Amino acid sequence: MEALDDAQGVLPGKRRRKAPTSTSSYVFRPLLEDIALAPEGYTSKVHITCIELWESNLYIGTSAAEILHYVAIPPDPADYTASPSYIFASRLQPSRNQTSAGSPAPGVQQILVLPKVSKACVLCNGTLTFYSLPELSPAFNNTVVPGCSWVGGANQNQSHNEDEDGQTIMICIKSRIRLVRIGDEPRKIRNIEFPSCLAIARRDNFACVADTQAYALLDVENQQKISLFPISSLDENAAGGQVEDISFHPEPSRPLSGMGDPRGHGRSTSLGTFVSGIGRRSPQSRSQERSGRNTSPEPELRAASPLRSPDRPRSGSVTSNAARRLSISDKALPPPPDRTSSQLALQNPSDSFSTNMTPHICSPTPTEFLLTTGTSPEEPGVGIFVNLDGDVVRGTLQFDRYPTSVVVDGNDQSAIVSTTGIQQPLECYILASTFQRKEKGHKEVIEVHRWDIDDANSTEHLDIPYPFEEENSDDVGPALGHARLRVILSHNSASFVEVGERLRLGRLRLPSNSQAQETDWDPALMTTAEDNRNQEEQAFGQRLGAQSSRIVLWSGSSIWWLIRNPLVLRLDGIIETAMGSLPDQRHQEVDRAKISRTISSIQDFDANTETDFLSLKYIRQKAVLILFADTLSRDPSASTISNTELRTTEKVMVDSGLDPRILLSIVPLLREEVVEGKQGIWIHNGLIRVVKEYAQVLSESDPIRGALRYSESANMIKRFLAAWRQRKGFGSIADEVQVFQSVDAALLHLLLHQDDQQSAKSGLPSAARADLYSLVDSGVDCFERAVVLLEQNRRLYVLSRLYQNRKMAGKVLETWRRIIEGEEDAGNELSDGENEIRKYLAKIRDINLIQEYGTWLARRNADLGVKVFADDNSRAKFIPEDVVQLLQEQAPEAVKVYLEHLVFGKKKVLYANRLITYYLDSVLQVLETSDEARSILGQSYESYRALQPPKPTYRQFIMDNAVPVPWWHDRLRLLELLGGSHGADFSYDLDNILGRIEPFEQDLVPESIILDGRQGRHKQALRLLTHGLGDYHTAINYCLMGGASIFHPISGSLTPSETSTREDQATLFGYLLTEFLRIEDASNRLERTSELLERFGRWYDVREVLSMIPESWSVELVSGFLVGAFRRLVHDKHEGMVVKALSGAENLQVVAAFAEKCRIAGAQIEEVQ
């Protein structure tokens, strides 16, 4: 036979047919097709009756009573996809009984190969013969066993390497079963009384057998039998559940070893009740049985059987034993056919496939047997599991028609790991060949049942793959009724190329607008590296698709392997069907529910092999990819995807482990953020086609950007990317650098898009803005790309926050300066930018940056600029002289502000002269150039003089009525400095100032007053205060302060005792009185003079005052002063008298004290020399 030329199993020379990926559990692979079955000259139609494969030898039994021997030719080792081809070796006609003319002959009924002893047993037309392997030469001197109905019964719990003396089989003849050990010669072990046996399955000492009527369970060692249930449920004569002794007493010359004591007793089991219920069910039970698989009996209702062990005691009541059995009369089984259908079947044999029902026995586990029963071949059949006690276990299997053959695949402990070393999947299946009724007749199918799970929907139907014929051919396949299944000895290893092609990795080539991490790659080296990896991946994929099988199917003249469909192909087929047609239409919706069910079905699946692990990973990722693309491709205005579905999709997106770059590559908005890196992006090869197709569809889809704008799709992507960001640092992530660069760039791009759209719609900051700030503040791996994105979107403030995260102070300040200087910031997020720069400069230590941006700020806003250098909390400290020099060079306008800070804030008198110079320059420059300024000063004097007492001081007046111009502020500061606000120790260049203001004496009256006072020209100062300003209150203060200071803040005032003596004050008050007496306004002169003499009369001499007062003034005008003066005179006289008296008393005290001391000392006599 020729090898397959591709993964689809199409033979060379046959017409190719591209089929979709199968979702069934099994697929067919040809073993041998178009076999020449009929010998030369044979005119009847010949079909295959049995098959066996041992090593490289294929034996085919035919209905023509012949065995065709084929030998396998191994395939080319270099072609891992090739299968062995078979060449014809010989045609053998075994010994057989001659049938009468016209009666049908079964042909070769069985071929039983015994590998341990290299022998084969062939049952042909009721005659059993023995042959030597592999060429099938006669053995045991042409020993023939006539009248044989079945041969087999090898112990399924025993491997071929055990039982060194040979292999034990069971030969069924008419009246009994003969247990025979085949070795160098056949040796009978014992006979078992069970006539007309048609099928056997044996596990150690227990064998399940069937005759033409019913099934039974045999204890081979102890010669006991439990009758089970009939093959046909219509057979009411078959009584089940009885334990019988079937021991056979052998001849004395040939004792049988291993026999126990022949004993037995009657026993009733649940099977008796089971049999009584078959065929007498109500219509309701018939409808229930067709609904699917039934549940098994409760375990606690089943009693133990004495057949469990040969040494078990066998006492007990039959009645009580039966009472403990489960009554399963309600067990769902096929209903008997109605009378009309049965009669029609008998009247029209062409519509009935068989008048007898063939028993089928399989053993899925070491402790269970599967038996089939039904009502007729045309009606549904039931598979029933019984254990070694004869109890019904598990649920039942429902067959659409009574099967023609049944095999078990899976859960047999001896077959979990095959001889090829390929580990078998753990799912357990029952496969049965049966019929399906069609509009025009019937067709043969394979029913596949999962028996290890309770799922009524797990049944599958496989169409038998009849050989491909030409389109004009009238032959539509082999005749019905001859398709059979069989588990053979040797395994077949098949390679599924599709598995490797899907699971191996391939490079995903993205459009040219995706990012590249480097630009200096050598194209030749990159091509070589990619070719090498492709070769490695292909070699890796070649070993992933190997599957092993021992199940064959034959029909007509062809034979197929029935191989488990690999998990990845099965699930991939389901997903492909959920997609419908390929995604070549805009907004093509998929069956999301089916894909979700597929993901859920593998949620708890434990991968036992590398292939299964990769398969599950591939399926999850493909399902996620399709769900994600379907979500994006739907029209947001008409989408029916709920938030729950979106959340589910999001969860599987995260759990699938799919490289986020794959999902981003199909989103047009975010595709350009994908970073391939030097090696590119490698994903499962089966995903590449889906990625490219959906990328193309979404690129042509107009609503895609709208979907990201109005629906939850953008939020889903945002949460997905945020979840991936939390995986940073995990060592298990391949291409970690490129992955997280792509994730960060895509998330930044998406947040910018959301913020832009939402803010434009509402006119307010969007909810996405907080996420945007959080992203850049936490740092991104795609720094260069982030800068480009933010620049392109004109988000300068966000860019500055990104620079802040990277501690790039220079870039932060540069970005803020760009915003302040008028460059567009789309978000308008920087409020009070100059102050932000000032605060940021206080946090850094870079002197150069502080000087650069501090002077820049000082040029724009002198007050803020000076604060940069004057802030005591700043991390960088500056020497004031250096700052003054720097500002003079870079920001001259800010020098004065900084000097004010030093003089008024820090009380550094050292810089006062320099500050006075700045103030004088400012004021005098204005007065020289502006007549308006001089007019303002003149008006201020006139306005103040026009005020009627009581009135504020002139300083308070000009502060309250300040003109909002810089020079006015400078003049106030100048007056404060000249007036001595910094104490008596403060001095300035008086001559220089006098020389500069001399041309403006009439305009700068307060300044002249202060300078006159500094020079001791108190009369001139008081004259200006009295007549130039009319500031009488300040004139009085001037006298009290001794002419030391005027125009100073209240907080800086000094007490008279600190500045001058009483004599100085009296002299100044004398000058002031003279000036008050010269006030032009008579009433004002009288009022001011009277008030001065009354309040400060103590500083005046009465005689001098009286001499100065005009004679025309009445005494009443100065009565207050005179009264006060007289009071002071009387007070002084009385005070003098008191002092004199006190002094006299004090003198007396001193004299008395002296006299007392003299008395105490006594007289002292001195001699005169």
Side-chain angles (χ1 to χ4, degrees):
M1 176 181 146
E2 296 177 287
L4 298 175
D5 71 336
D6 59 14
Q8 299 296 332
V10 181
L11 296 175
K14 298 291 183 179
R15 179 167 57 88
R16 289 180 176 270
R17 177 181 299 174
K18 185 176 180 180
T21 304
S22 174
T23 62
S24 60
S25 301
Y26 287 84
V27 294
F28 299 94
R29 288 292 177 90
L31 174 62
L32 200 60
E33 294 181 307
D34 299 331
I35 307 171
L37 298 177
E40 293 183 4
Y42 199 85
T43 57
S44 300
K45 191 172 183 66
V46 180
H47 61 270
I48 300 174
T49 56
C50 57
I51 294 175
E52 188 58 86
L53 177 66
W54 175 67
E55 295 180 349
S56 61
N57 298 277
L58 175 63
Y59 306 105
I60 303 174
T62 70
S63 59
E66 290 185 332
I67 297 178
L68 307 182
H69 181 197
Y70 285 81
V71 177
I73 304 299
D76 184 2
D79 186 1
Y80 72 98
T81 64
S83 299
S85 57
Y86 291 87
I87 61 174
F88 180 75
S90 64
R91 186 186 295 267
L92 173 68
Q93 294 181 348
S95 300
R96 59 190 182 278
N97 290 332
Q98 298 296 329
T99 58
S100 59
S103 62
V108 178
Q109 299 165 269
Q110 284 181 267
I111 301 175
L112 177 64
V113 174
L114 306 175
K116 178 63 179 176
V117 295
S118 297
K119 295 295 187 292
C121 305
V122 176
L123 178 60
C124 181
N125 290 343
T127 301
L128 179 65
T129 53
F130 302 90
Y131 297 91
S132 296
L133 298 178
E135 68 281 355
L136 295 183
S137 58
F140 307 140
N141 297 321
N142 290 323
T143 300
V144 175
V145 180
C148 181
S149 60
W150 200 85
V151 62
N155 185 8
Q156 296 185 33
N157 288 346
Q158 191 176 54
S159 67
H160 297 168
N161 296 325
E162 298 177 2
D163 193 4
E164 296 181 356
D165 294 338
Q167 287 186 256
T168 302
I169 63 173
M170 302 175 76
I171 301 174
C172 303
I173 54 181
K174 292 183 179 181
S175 59
R176 63 180 62 89
I177 299 174
R178 182 168 295 168
L179 196 64
V180 178
R181 178 174 289 111
I182 304 297
D184 294 336
E185 60 180 359
R187 182 173 182 270
K188 184 181 74 172
I189 299 176
R190 68 174 62 87
N191 289 333
I192 302 172
E193 295 301 317
F194 190 86
S196 304
C197 181
L198 298 180
I200 299 176
R202 182 163 69 95
R203 294 284 188 176
D204 293 333
N205 292 331
F206 300 97
C208 187
V209 297
D211 56 16
T212 58
Q213 301 296 323
Y215 297 99
L217 188 64
L218 302 181
D219 184 341
V220 177
E221 185 71 19
N222 296 304
Q223 298 283 297
Q224 292 182 340
K225 180 184 78 170
I226 298 179
S227 299
L228 299 179
F229 47 82
I231 300 172
S232 173
S233 58
L234 298 179
D235 186 0
E236 300 183 2
N237 297 323
Q242 297 296 325
V243 178
E244 305 175 23
D245 185 1
I246 56 172
S247 59
F248 174 78
H249 299 283
E251 298 84 350
S253 59
R254 299 191 64 181
L256 298 178
S257 61
M259 279 287 293
D261 296 334
R263 60 193 179 201
H265 60 276
R267 176 182 173 203
S268 175
T269 71
S270 61
L271 294 172
T273 311
F274 179 84
V275 172
S276 65
I278 297 178
R280 295 187 298 274
R281 294 181 303 279
S282 64
Q284 179 180 5
S285 64
R286 296 184 185 183
S287 62
Q288 291 175 350
E289 71 183 11
R290 296 179 186 270
S291 63
R293 190 169 176 176
N294 299 318
T295 57
S296 61
E298 294 295 334
E300 61 269 16
L301 297 180
R302 296 194 299 267
S305 169
L307 294 178
R308 177 68 68 184
S309 171
D311 301 328
R312 185 184 305 166
R314 298 180 180 176
S315 62
S317 169
V318 175
T319 305
S320 63
N321 226 359
R324 292 196 305 269
R325 294 295 176 183
L326 172 67
S327 176
I328 55 173
S329 59
D330 294 333
K331 181 69 69 175
L333 289 174
D338 56 51
R339 195 172 172 81
T340 304
S341 62
S342 300
Q343 292 174 353
L344 290 176
L346 295 176
Q347 293 172 2
N348 189 6
S350 62
D351 291 339
S352 179
F353 303 109
S354 175
T355 56
N356 297 320
M357 298 172 62
T358 304
H360 302 294
I361 305 175
C362 299
S363 181
T365 70
T367 60
E368 294 175 314
F369 297 101
L370 172 66
L371 315 177
T372 59
T373 184
T375 56
S376 72
E378 294 80 14
E379 295 297 324
V382 177
I384 302 174
F385 294 89
V386 298
N387 60 16
L388 298 182
D389 292 333
D391 297 331
V392 176
V393 294
R394 301 183 184 274
T396 59
L397 298 179
Q398 180 78 29
F399 300 105
D400 293 345
R401 287 287 187 96
Y402 188 84
T404 57
S405 61
V406 180
V407 296
V408 176
D409 186 21
N411 208 34
D412 190 340
Q413 300 301 317
S414 62
I416 289 180
V417 179
S418 68
T419 56
T420 61
I422 301 174
Q423 186 170 359
Q424 299 298 308
L426 299 181
E427 294 92 342
C428 303
Y429 293 93
I430 298 293
L431 293 89
S433 59
T434 182
F435 297 89
Q436 275 189 344
R437 187 184 299 276
K438 296 297 179 181
E439 294 181 359
K440 297 181 180 180
H442 302 79
K443 74 169 184 177
E444 292 177 299
V445 297
I446 304 298
E447 285 191 30
V448 181
H449 297 265
R450 282 286 299 272
W451 60 270
D452 56 334
I453 59 174
D454 293 326
D455 185 1
N457 298 321
S458 62
T459 303
E460 302 176 37
H461 293 83
L462 307 179
D463 292 335
I464 294 178
Y466 295 114
F468 295 137
E469 304 291 344
E470 297 299 327
E471 294 182 357
N472 297 328
S473 175
D474 295 332
D475 190 358
V476 294
L480 294 176
H482 300 301
R484 296 292 185 273
L485 294 167
R486 176 174 172 78
V487 179
I488 59 177
L489 287 174
S490 297
H491 289 81
N492 171 63
S493 179
S495 178
F496 287 80
V497 182
E498 306 96 318
V499 174
E501 285 301 311
R502 282 171 169 79
L503 300 184
R504 74 174 182 89
L505 299 183
R507 181 172 181 178
L508 176 63
R509 299 190 177 277
L510 300 177
S512 57
N513 60 346
S514 61
Q515 296 184 59
Q517 190 178 10
E518 301 178 18
T519 58
D520 56 348
W521 300 337
D522 187 344
L525 294 178
M526 290 300 301
T527 302
T528 302
E530 183 176 345
D531 291 342
N532 292 338
R533 180 158 186 185
N534 277 326
Q535 293 177 2
E536 294 174 359
E537 292 296 337
Q538 288 177 355
F540 173 74
Q542 289 175 5
R543 62 184 181 87
L544 295 178
Q547 289 286 102
S548 178
S549 177
R550 293 172 52 202
I551 302 176
V552 294
L553 165 72
W554 66 85
S555 179
S557 60
S558 299
I559 307 172
W560 297 271
W561 289 106
L562 203 58
I563 304 176
R564 289 201 182 189
N565 196 13
L567 177 65
V568 64
L569 299 184
R570 232 188 308 154
L571 298 177
D572 198 26
I574 296 175
I575 293 180
E576 290 289 340
T577 58
M579 292 174 62
S581 60
L582 293 178
D584 53 359
Q585 298 179 2
R586 183 172 297 182
H587 314 314
Q588 173 70 33
E589 295 186 0
V590 301
D591 188 346
R592 300 178 66 92
K594 179 179 287 189
I595 295 180
S596 298
R597 288 194 300 269
T598 302
I599 296 176
S600 300
S601 68
I602 61 176
Q603 193 69 31
D604 300 325
F605 192 96
D606 293 329
N608 298 298
T609 64
E610 183 181 25
T611 302
D612 284 350
F613 176 80
L614 295 176
S615 299
L616 297 177
K617 179 182 176 183
Y618 166 81
I619 292 300
R620 290 190 182 99
Q621 293 182 356
K622 184 170 183 178
V624 164
L625 183 61
I626 295 172
L627 290 176
F628 177 74
D630 176 65
T631 302
L632 296 182
S633 62
R634 298 198 182 195
D635 187 346
S637 61
S639 177
T640 58
I641 303 177
S642 64
N643 289 334
T644 302
E645 288 182 300
L646 286 176
R647 290 286 183 175
T648 302
T649 302
E650 176 187 336
K651 182 178 184 303
V652 297
M653 284 166 59
V654 176
D655 295 342
S656 68
L658 180 62
D659 189 332
R661 296 178 294 175
I662 310 306
L663 298 179
L664 296 177
S665 67
I666 68 174
V667 183
L669 179 67
L670 307 177
R671 180 181 303 158
E672 59 185 0
E673 310 308 332
V674 176
V675 180
E676 291 190 67
K678 185 176 182 180
Q679 297 180 350
I681 301 176
W682 291 77
I683 61 174
H684 289 298
N685 197 57
L687 300 179
I688 295 178
R689 175 186 62 85
V690 182
V691 172
K692 290 183 176 180
E693 289 175 347
Y694 272 118
Q696 180 179 0
V697 171
L698 294 177
S699 296
E700 299 172 355
S701 178
D702 295 333
I704 179 61
R705 294 183 180 269
L708 291 180
R709 181 186 306 173
Y710 298 114
S711 71
E712 284 293 321
S713 302
N715 291 331
M716 180 187 69
I717 299 175
K718 180 173 65 177
R719 291 189 294 267
F720 168 70
L721 295 175
W724 259 94
R725 276 176 54 83
Q726 297 177 0
R727 300 186 179 187
K728 287 187 178 182
F730 289 12
S732 60
I733 298 177
D735 299 332
E736 181 178 10
V737 174
Q738 292 78 22
V739 167
F740 289 114
Q741 284 180 347
S742 303
V743 168
D744 287 351
L747 183 56
L748 177 60
H749 195 161
L750 181 60
L751 290 173
L752 288 171
H753 177 76
Q754 279 190 311
D755 185 38
D756 179 58
Q757 300 299 330
Q758 294 174 9
S759 298
K761 183 178 180 181
S762 63
L764 299 173
S766 68
R769 186 163 297 182
D771 295 332
L772 179 61
Y773 290 164
S774 176
L775 173 64
V776 296
D777 291 345
S778 62
V780 294
D781 292 352
C782 59
F783 178 74
E784 292 78 7
R785 177 58 182 169
V787 172
V788 173
L789 281 173
L790 294 173
E791 290 282 5
Q792 290 176 348
N793 288 270
R794 302 184 303 282
R795 301 301 294 272
L796 298 184
Y797 177 72
V798 182
L799 177 61
S800 71
R801 298 183 70 133
L802 178 66
Y803 287 139
Q804 287 185 65
N805 176 262
R806 289 293 183 103
K807 309 298 182 184
M808 301 173 68
K811 289 293 185 179
V812 175
L813 294 169
E814 179 187 354
T815 307
W816 283 347
R817 180 167 63 181
R818 292 166 57 190
I819 298 174
I820 294 172
E821 290 181 346
E823 190 168 340
E824 181 183 4
D825 178 28
N828 295 321
E829 298 148 280
L830 182 63
S831 60
D832 195 7
E834 293 178 349
N835 194 43
E836 288 295 326
I837 289 182
R838 181 196 67 78
K839 292 189 290 185
Y840 188 75
L841 289 174
K843 300 177 183 178
I844 63 177
R845 297 179 183 272
D846 192 325
I847 298 296
N848 294 329
L849 284 177
I850 296 175
Q851 290 179 350
E852 177 184 355
Y853 287 93
T855 55
W856 171 83
L857 187 59
R859 290 192 296 270
R860 293 182 58 87
N861 188 328
D863 292 334
L864 285 178
V866 166
K867 288 181 180 179
V868 173
F869 302 100
D871 192 350
D872 292 334
N873 296 322
S874 176
R875 291 182 140 186
K877 305 300 179 182
F878 293 89
I879 299 173
E881 189 61 37
D882 296 339
V883 175
V884 172
Q885 183 178 357
L886 177 65
L887 292 177
Q888 285 176 341
E889 297 174 357
Q890 303 293 334
E893 298 296 329
V895 175
K896 180 187 66 176
V897 180
Y898 184 68
L899 291 174
E900 287 178 345
H901 164 74
L902 294 177
V903 175
F904 295 105
K906 297 296 185 181
K907 305 300 181 184
K908 294 184 180 293
V909 184
L910 179 63
Y911 299 95
N913 274 319
R914 191 177 300 181
L915 183 57
I916 290 174
T917 301
Y918 270 95
Y919 288 152
L920 278 175
D921 292 341
S922 174
V923 174
L924 296 180
Q925 183 179 3
V926 173
L927 293 178
E928 289 175 352
T929 59
S930 176
D931 294 337
E932 182 183 1
R934 300 176 71 174
S935 175
I936 290 174
L937 289 177
Q939 291 177 2
S940 69
Y941 300 147
E942 295 178 2
S943 300
Y944 184 73
R945 285 194 298 265
L947 295 176
Q948 295 297 321
K951 60 182 179 181
T953 64
Y954 179 73
R955 181 180 184 277
Q956 187 65 39
F957 174 76
I958 61 177
M959 290 182 64
D960 293 341
N961 298 275
V963 180
V965 289
W967 65 268
W968 189 273
H969 170 268
D970 293 345
R971 182 173 179 248
L972 292 178
R973 287 291 192 176
L974 177 62
L975 289 174
E976 186 175 345
L977 287 176
L978 294 177
S981 62
H982 285 71
D985 295 335
F986 170 60
S987 62
Y988 42 81
D989 190 350
L990 186 60
D991 294 335
N992 179 50
I993 297 174
L994 283 172
R996 296 189 64 183
I997 70 170
E998 184 177 0
F1000 306 98
E1001 286 183 348
Q1002 301 301 321
D1003 299 311
L1004 301 176
V1005 177
E1007 289 82 353
S1008 299
I1009 295 171
I1010 294 172
L1011 294 177
D1012 286 339
R1014 284 279 181 172
Q1015 298 177 86
R1017 299 167 58 184
H1018 301 302
K1019 288 184 179 181
Q1020 179 67 19
L1022 289 173
R1023 183 180 299 112
L1024 291 175
L1025 281 172
T1026 304
H1027 305 290
L1029 290 179
D1031 188 356
Y1032 309 119
H1033 181 75
T1034 302
I1036 294 172
N1037 286 338
Y1038 183 88
C1039 297
L1040 290 174
M1041 304 301 296
S1045 176
I1046 64 171
F1047 301 110
H1048 55 75
I1050 297 177
S1051 61
S1053 63
L1054 304 174
T1055 62
S1057 60
E1058 295 175 332
T1059 60
S1060 62
T1061 64
R1062 184 177 180 82
E1063 290 75 9
D1064 295 336
Q1065 292 174 347
T1067 301
L1068 294 176
F1069 273 114
Y1071 296 155
L1072 182 59
L1073 178 59
T1074 302
E1075 297 301 328
F1076 275 11
L1077 291 173
R1078 295 176 181 175
I1079 297 175
E1080 296 181 359
D1081 186 272
S1083 62
N1084 192 21
R1085 180 172 64 248
L1086 290 173
E1087 185 177 353
R1088 299 279 74 76
T1089 303
S1090 300
E1091 181 183 3
L1092 175 65
L1093 292 174
E1094 185 176 353
R1095 291 180 58 193
F1096 302 98
R1098 69 182 65 184
W1099 276 274
Y1100 289 97
D1101 184 81
V1102 176
R1103 288 173 296 183
E1104 291 182 0
V1105 171
L1106 291 176
S1107 63
M1108 295 175 64
I1109 294 176
E1111 294 181 358
S1112 59
W1113 285 20
S1114 65
V1115 176
E1116 185 179 0
L1117 294 177
V1118 291
S1119 60
F1121 167 71
L1122 294 176
V1123 171
F1126 290 149
R1127 285 178 179 175
R1128 286 192 297 273
L1129 291 174
V1130 175
H1131 176 271
D1132 291 342
K1133 180 180 178 181
H1134 291 167
E1135 184 179 358
M1137 293 173 63
V1138 172
V1139 170
K1140 183 178 179 180
L1142 290 175
S1143 297
E1146 185 180 5
N1147 184 52
L1148 290 175
Q1149 289 179 352
V1150 173
V1151 172
F1154 177 75
E1156 181 64 22
K1157 288 183 179 180
C1158 290
R1159 187 188 63 79
I1160 294 173
Q1164 185 177 1
I1165 301 174
E1166 294 183 0
E1167 295 181 358
V1168 179
Q1169 294 289 333

